[in-house]
Amino acid sequence: MRIERRLRQPRWLTVVVPACSLVFAFFASGLVLLATGHDPFSSYRKIVDAAFVSNGALGQTLISATPLAFTGLAAAAAFRMRLFNIGGEGQLYLGAITAAATGLYLGGSGGASPFVIAAMIVAGCAGGAAWALIPGILRAFFRTNEILTSLMLNYVAAYLLTYLIFNSESYWRQTKGFNATVFPVGKDLPSSAVWPGATIHVRGGITLPLGAGLAVVAALVLWFLYSRTRFGFEAQVLGDSPRAARYAGMRTRRKILAVMAISGALAGLGGASQDGDFRHTLDADPNGLQRQYYGYTGIVVAALARYNPFAVVLVAFLVGGIQNAGNTLQGADFPSGLVGVIQGLILFSALGGELLVRYRVRFGRRGVERALEPAA
């Protein structure tokens, strides 16, 4: 048995293999549910109902899916050039920090202000991009492994977020009032810095957050950038063959910095969305923003979507639905860890399917293969 790289990939493989991978993942998840004493069909029905069907479920799913769309797009933007930015988590934190500072500084009384919201978006993108440029510079000029540097910077960003609220009297921390002296919290954003959402009056009301719309726009821009511009072509060439790109005169360092900045800006925009759309404060609670692991889950989303921006948005919605179902169904008879197991099986099945798309398995007897080889 030999594993050979496919010289050409039939288009039907890119559809059939991922679909079969999902079927296998749900089959394997069914076996896990059976082993833990749960009826697979009943459990899947409960998950679908809690994620998409019951009253208010779609709204909660959008809350879970919006940050995953941003971190998934951030991972896809970098991975397409073979830059493995694992720092989406920290870049999201920095985007939340800079966007919250902008909203607190510019915000005032009254309703949502387009100027303040636009400034928060720009600040969130700038914060995430600046944090991503640290491993980008180290990779471009010193050939440092961006996987290690971006991953370690996640912990630095988490400690910075905790320090600003719990260990200092910073601009972001609420210092007045009895509650602030008992338990440190972030300042509430003014009403002009709260992002508006559109409400659809079906199934108890579905609120479409502004961040979800921005994620769709970001996916469209990213698709156009990588598939319809010279920048995207050069990034693809650099990812496939850096030596050929240098021979063709492409500026490798500049592309590395640009792609890392784009990736970080997308993750930072997700942090700004967390401030403006959902939390309305800089949330440093270890059981809040830091417990969700949006950056790491975004890598899973990007891998499942095969780094296609539009597929990232769709997969983020599906994964967000599974997460929402896990939170809703969590109890003694249905541990939330089961949903994590299902997500893990989906990821490994998708990665296994990706292997079959890129490679093929050949069977044959060694003697026959040697007889067919030409003489040296």
Side-chain angles (χ1 to χ4, degrees), residues 36-318:
T36 55
H38 297 83
D39 179 27
F41 297 101
S42 177
S43 298
Y44 286 145
R45 182 184 59 79
K46 290 180 181 178
I47 290 174
V48 172
D49 186 64
F52 308 111
V53 179
S54 62
N55 288 339
L58 281 177
Q60 293 299 316
T61 293
L62 285 173
I63 292 175
S64 299
T66 299
L68 296 181
F70 284 115
T71 54
L73 289 171
F79 286 17
R80 289 185 66 153
M81 191 177 150
R82 303 296 191 272
L83 285 174
F84 298 101
N85 177 21
I86 314 298
E89 186 84 1
Q91 292 146 26
L92 183 140
Y93 295 161
L94 262 292
I97 291 171
T98 53
T102 303
L104 290 171
Y105 182 78
L106 297 178
S109 58
S113 168
F115 171 73
V116 175
I117 293 171
M120 290 177 66
I121 292 172
V122 172
C125 292
W131 202 249
L133 279 174
I134 298 175
I137 291 172
L138 293 174
R139 164 65 188 276
F141 292 94
F142 304 100
R143 296 188 178 182
T144 307
N145 190 316
E146 74 278 5
I147 297 177
L148 296 177
T149 53
S150 61
L151 178 62
M152 293 299 102
L153 283 172
N154 288 340
Y155 298 97
V156 177
Y159 282 123
L160 176 61
L161 183 62
T162 301
Y163 172 78
L164 291 176
I165 303 300
F166 291 97
N167 300 321
S168 68
E169 294 187 1
S170 68
Y171 182 71
W172 292 263
R173 176 176 171 176
Q174 179 63 262
T175 57
K176 298 179 180 179
F178 175 75
N179 291 335
T181 60
V182 175
F183 185 79
V185 294
K187 294 178 182 177
D188 291 332
L189 292 179
S191 57
S192 59
V194 175
W195 295 10
T199 302
I200 302 176
H201 299 283
V202 294
R203 294 189 177 276
I206 302 172
T207 299
L208 301 177
L210 177 62
L214 291 176
V216 175
V217 174
L220 178 62
V221 172
L222 194 64
W223 169 83
F224 179 82
L225 182 66
Y226 275 89
S227 62
R228 293 293 185 272
T229 66
R230 177 180 176 179
F231 176 90
F233 171 75
E234 292 185 352
Q236 186 69 36
V237 173
L238 280 167
D240 293 338
S241 178
R243 181 178 299 180
R246 287 194 296 269
Y247 181 78
M250 297 180 185
R251 299 181 178 181
T252 305
R253 290 177 176 174
R254 181 178 295 183
K255 286 295 182 297
I256 290 174
L257 297 179
V259 170
M260 288 297 289
I262 292 170
S263 177
L266 289 168
L269 183 53
S273 172
Q274 285 294 297
D275 291 340
D277 275 321
F278 310 118
R279 302 178 187 273
H280 306 152
T281 184
L282 181 62
D283 182 11
D285 189 348
N287 294 321
L289 181 61
Q290 298 185 51
R291 192 179 181 182
Q292 305 302 320
Y293 305 115
Y294 291 130
Y296 301 111
T297 310
I299 298 173
V300 176
V301 170
L304 292 174
R306 303 184 76 244
Y307 314 132
N308 181 294
F310 297 121
V312 164
V313 175
L314 177 60
V315 173
F317 181 72
L318 296 177

